Amino acid sequence: MHETAVQPPPAPGKRDNPSLVTVVGTELARNKRGFLPWYHLLAPVIITVPLFLGSLGSSEAKAGQTFEVFRNVTLEFWGVLVPMTAGLAAALSVRADQDAWRLLLSYGVPRWRYFVGKVAMLGVLGLVSSTVLLVMLSLGAAISGKFPEAMGTVAAAVYLPWLVGLSMTALAVLVVLVWGMGPGIGVGVAGLLCGALVSDKSFWYAVPFSWPMRVVLPLAGIGPNGVPLPDDSPVTEMSAIPLAVALAAVLTALLLVAGSLHMSRKEI
């Protein structure tokens, strides 16, 4: 006679206890279709193609500075697009999960993982979008005959706004959870406006919405309007970058704690 193998019961503490990596992977799998992934993939393409074509007709192009114009204007757009994307993506993603969370919150899974997993998933999408932008800028440099010498600090100017912008993603997700979709999109709008109006001011550090744009300015050597800055401008000081990164890291940590506590107390 053949003996039937008996599967042991799940070990205590393992049931309904997926790791954070599993939660993030599940979030990514659930969001691999629809508006969000296409937006993050296509947004850098949509802003760079017309900007490159426009730079070909600029007066600077006649002096052989086509790529410099293209790079500056693109990075200007990127600095304000990062927080705007954070608000929009958080609003759409959280709203799409409202029905699913009614079921998921009834499980024994630590609820804080849902919040952190959501922020991490949106962060991964933002990283992908930043990489697409870097590829588009590299193509522009190659077409202009300036690759790789003209790239300079382009990679830092592309990825640092994403890194600092994680604080805006965490804020937007928390705002949507607490107050709804409209205020969450408002976080993005505030980031767009503050990036354009506050990032070059002396009090920029007090306005988190301006931080993604602030790290772009000294790296690209431009103002919020895309115009090159004079060498003696205080906006070109690199000391603003580590300060912005440190402030963003602290704010992100605080928001993750606040969001986790909110999810733990959230009623089904």
Side-chain angles (χ1 to χ4, degrees):
M1 296 179 63
H2 297 284
E3 294 184 1
T4 303
V6 178
Q7 296 294 330
K14 295 295 184 181
R15 180 179 294 173
D16 288 343
N17 191 29
S19 68
L20 183 58
V21 173
T22 300
V23 174
V24 175
T26 302
E27 285 279 353
L28 288 170
R30 293 177 59 248
N31 286 275
K32 65 182 180 181
R33 296 184 181 88
F35 176 78
L36 281 182
W38 283 112
Y39 173 85
H40 283 85
L41 287 172
L42 294 180
V45 178
I46 292 172
I47 68 171
T48 51
V49 171
L51 290 178
F52 181 76
L53 295 176
S55 67
L56 294 174
S58 65
S59 57
E60 291 85 352
K62 300 176 182 178
Q65 296 182 334
T66 300
F67 176 70
E68 287 75 9
V69 173
F70 168 57
R71 176 195 62 199
N72 291 349
V73 179
T74 298
L75 292 176
E76 173 203 357
F77 269 83
W78 193 242
V80 296
L81 185 64
V82 166
M84 183 66 214
T85 296
L88 177 63
L92 294 177
S93 180
V94 173
R95 183 175 179 84
D97 278 352
Q98 290 299 319
D99 291 336
W101 275 351
R102 290 190 180 94
L103 174 63
L104 293 174
L105 293 179
S106 66
Y107 294 156
V109 178
R111 291 184 173 188
W112 66 268
R113 293 179 189 171
Y114 292 133
F115 180 83
V116 176
K118 177 70 69 179
V119 174
M121 179 274 294
L122 294 175
V124 171
L125 290 180
L127 179 61
V128 171
S129 192
S130 298
T131 302
V132 174
L133 179 69
L134 182 60
V135 170
M136 296 303 295
L137 285 168
S138 299
L139 289 174
I143 294 172
S144 304
K146 296 293 187 69
F147 185 86
E149 62 272 12
M151 293 296 287
T153 57
V154 169
V158 168
Y159 285 115
L160 276 173
W162 162 78
L163 181 63
V164 173
L166 291 175
S167 59
M168 293 297 95
T169 298
L171 176 61
V173 173
L174 179 58
V175 168
V176 176
L177 281 172
V178 177
W179 291 295
M181 184 174 179
I185 295 177
V187 170
V189 174
L192 187 152
L193 295 176
C194 290
L197 302 175
V198 180
S199 58
D200 61 340
K201 303 298 188 293
S202 60
F203 56 89
W204 65 268
Y205 56 85
V207 185
F209 302 104
S210 70
W211 296 347
M213 174 62 97
R214 186 62 183 88
V215 297
V216 171
L217 303 184
L219 289 169
I222 58 174
N225 56 0
V227 176
L229 295 167
D231 294 336
D232 60 348
S233 172
V235 180
T236 61
E237 295 180 1
M238 292 294 181
S239 59
I241 296 176
L243 176 58
V245 172
L247 289 172
V250 172
L251 180 59
T252 302
L254 293 175
L255 290 169
L256 289 177
V257 171
S260 297
L261 291 174
H262 176 76
M263 285 297 291
S264 298
R265 299 172 181 175
K266 187 176 178 64
E267 296 183 1
I268 300 175

